[in-house]
């Protein structure tokens, strides 16, 4: 039985809570949801470290601003190579 995969701090940050489920498929979906929350938090934190707006990060990655918004809100996830590239950026660097 899967009770609560999200920690309280994640629930508070996202205002999203996982329902209690007993179906293994729902458990998998809930784990994917929590992984997306982790990814969104990582992207948002890295962008803040770099001192960039969503628009500025999107320009560096040559993508739409709405794509960055969707990543940061856990709606979609970037490719692993994009995550690695975001991690490799430094302040003031022009890609």
């Amino acid at each position: 039985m899967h009770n609560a995969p999200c920690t309280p701090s994640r629930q508070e940050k996202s205002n999203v809570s996982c329902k209690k489920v007993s179906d293994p498929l729902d458990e998998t979906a809930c784990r994917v949801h929590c992984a997306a929350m982790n990814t969104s938090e990582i992207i948002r934190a890295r962008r803040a470290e770099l001192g960039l707006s969503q628009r500025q990060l999107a320009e560096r990655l040559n993508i739409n601003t709405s794509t960055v918004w969707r990543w940061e809100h856990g709606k979609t996830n970037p490719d692993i190579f994009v995550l690695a590239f975001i991690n490799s950026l430094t302040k003031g660097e022009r890609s």
Side-chain angles (χ1 to χ4, degrees), residues 4-64:
C6 293
T7 61
S9 62
R10 286 187 191 156
Q11 288 176 359
E12 291 166 8
K13 288 179 185 175
S14 67
N15 292 326
V16 174
S17 61
C18 288
K19 60 184 178 179
K20 292 183 179 184
V21 294
S22 57
D23 183 349
L25 293 177
D26 286 342
E27 181 177 347
T28 300
C30 218
R31 288 176 193 256
V32 168
H33 161 78
C34 289
M37 288 172 52
N38 279 334
T39 302
S40 66
E41 291 171 4
I42 290 166
I43 294 169
R44 188 178 298 120
R46 182 64 181 141
R47 181 176 59 78
E49 286 174 14
L50 295 169
L52 299 173
S53 66
Q54 288 181 348
R55 184 172 147 253
Q56 290 168 321
L57 179 59
E59 287 172 355
R60 285 196 183 188
L61 298 173
N62 199 30
I63 59 172
N64 289 323

Side-chain angles (χ1 to χ4, degrees), residues 69-89:
W69 184 93
R70 286 192 302 270
W71 294 342
E72 290 190 2
H73 287 83
K75 305 294 182 190
T76 61
N77 286 311
D79 183 272
I80 190 69
F81 298 107
V82 174
L83 284 175
F85 184 75
I86 292 169
N87 191 51
S88 71
L89 292 174

